[in-house]
Amino acid sequence: MNIEVWQGDITTLAVDVIVNAANETLLGGGGVDGAIHRAAGPQLLEACARLPEVRPGVRCPTGEVRATPGFRLPAQHVFHAVGPVWRDGTHHEPELLANCYWQSLRLAEQMDLHSIAFPAISCGIYGYPLQLAARVAVSETLAWEKSHKVPRRIVLVAFNEAMYKAYQQQLAQALPQVA
Ligand code: AR6
C-alpha cells in the first residue's frame, strides 16, 4: 500500500507535486492556497494568471486541475484543483471532489511524477464534512493505486488531528475490502 497519511504543512514536503485546494479564478485565496502561494513566491501567481480562462474569471472549473511549477517550494510542481463548495451533498459534491483526486493522479501519471501529496480538498473554507471527504479521498486513491503504477507514492496530508483521524478511520474501513 503506497498511500500514506501525514499530519503537517504540505508546503514543506519535497515530493514531485503538491496539490492545491484552489478556487476557479486560480488567483490565490486563504487556507492552504494562501500558504502555497506564500511559500512558492510571487512567480506562482504570475504563472496562474497566465493560464487561459475557460470563461470570464474561470481558469479551472470545479472538479478540474491545472499544473504550474512549484517555484520556491521544495515540490517541483503544483497542481491546482478546485473542490466543490459543500451545500447538502445532493449537488454533485462527491463526484466533483472525486474528480479532483482522479484528475490529479491522471495528470501526475501523464507527467511521469512519482510522488504526490494532497491536502484535504474542500474541508476548510468550502465546508465539506471531514469523514465524507476522507471517504472520497481514500476510495479514489486506493482505486487508482490498484490499477496504476505511477505515481507510486501518494500522501494524504492532514493539517489537524481531526482530519488525520478521519483518514485513518476511512483507510481502516476501506482496506479489508481491497485486500
Ligand atoms: N498544509 C496542509 N493543509 C492545510 C494547510 C497547509 N499549510 N493549510 C490549511 N490546510 P482550505 P477549501 C487544510 O480552506 O476548503 C481558499 O481561499 C485545512 O485545514 O484551504 O478547498 C481557496 O482559494 C483543510 O483541511 O480549502 C478557495 O477559495 C484543507 O487544507 C477556498 O479556500 C482545505 O482547506 C477553498 O476551500
Side-chain angles (χ1 to χ4, degrees), residues 15-68:
V15 286
D16 292 338
V17 54
I18 62 170
V19 178
N20 183 15
N23 61 65
E24 289 188 333
T25 70
L26 296 190
L27 295 182
V32 71
D33 195 4
I36 288 173
H37 275 273
R38 278 193 299 278
Q43 282 176 294
L44 182 59
L45 186 58
E46 290 163 21
C48 287
R50 280 196 297 273
L51 293 168
E53 288 184 333
V54 294
R55 51 181 191 272
V58 176
R59 288 183 180 74
C60 182
T62 301
E64 294 189 19
V65 180
R66 299 290 185 272
T68 66

Side-chain angles (χ1 to χ4, degrees):
M1 217 257 298
N2 300 318
I3 296 168
E4 299 165 32
V5 180
W6 180 80
Q7 190 176 338
D9 179 355
I10 199 169
T11 65
T12 65
L13 288 181
V15 286
D16 292 338
V17 54
I18 62 170
V19 178
N20 183 15
N23 61 65
E24 289 188 333
T25 70
L26 296 190
L27 295 182
V32 71
D33 195 4
I36 288 173
H37 275 273
R38 278 193 299 278
Q43 282 176 294
L44 182 59
L45 186 58
E46 290 163 21
C48 287
R50 280 196 297 273
L51 293 168
E53 288 184 333
V54 294
R55 51 181 191 272
V58 176
R59 288 183 180 74
C60 182
T62 301
E64 294 189 19
V65 180
R66 299 290 185 272
T68 66
F71 300 104
R72 292 184 201 154
L73 286 164
Q76 286 176 325
H77 303 270
V78 179
F79 289 173
H80 306 264
V82 181
V85 177
W86 176 263
R87 289 162 75 186
D88 58 6
T90 69
H91 292 81
H92 305 290
E93 294 95 330
E95 297 95 308
L96 291 166
L97 186 60
N99 286 348
C100 291
Y101 287 91
W102 199 261
Q103 300 300 327
S104 296
L105 291 163
R106 187 189 299 283
L107 191 55
E109 183 188 44
Q110 284 166 359
M111 293 172 69
D112 198 30
L113 304 177
H114 289 259
S115 52
I116 184 167
F118 287 95
I121 300 166
S122 288
C123 288
I125 294 161
Y126 283 179
Y128 211 108
L130 306 192
Q131 286 289 350
L132 297 183
R135 184 182 304 166
V136 172
V138 163
S139 66
E140 294 305 302
T141 51
L142 279 177
W144 180 273
E145 75 132 23
K146 258 181 102 178
S147 49
H148 299 78
K149 288 198 164 59
V150 176
R152 60 173 173 256
R153 181 176 174 220
I154 301 172
V155 186
L156 297 177
V157 177
F159 200 50
N160 54 41
E161 188 70 22
M163 199 69 229
Y164 186 84
K165 283 187 177 150
Y167 281 140
Q168 295 290 10
Q169 274 176 31
Q170 293 300 328
L171 267 174
Q173 279 176 29
L175 276 175
Q177 292 157 30
V178 298

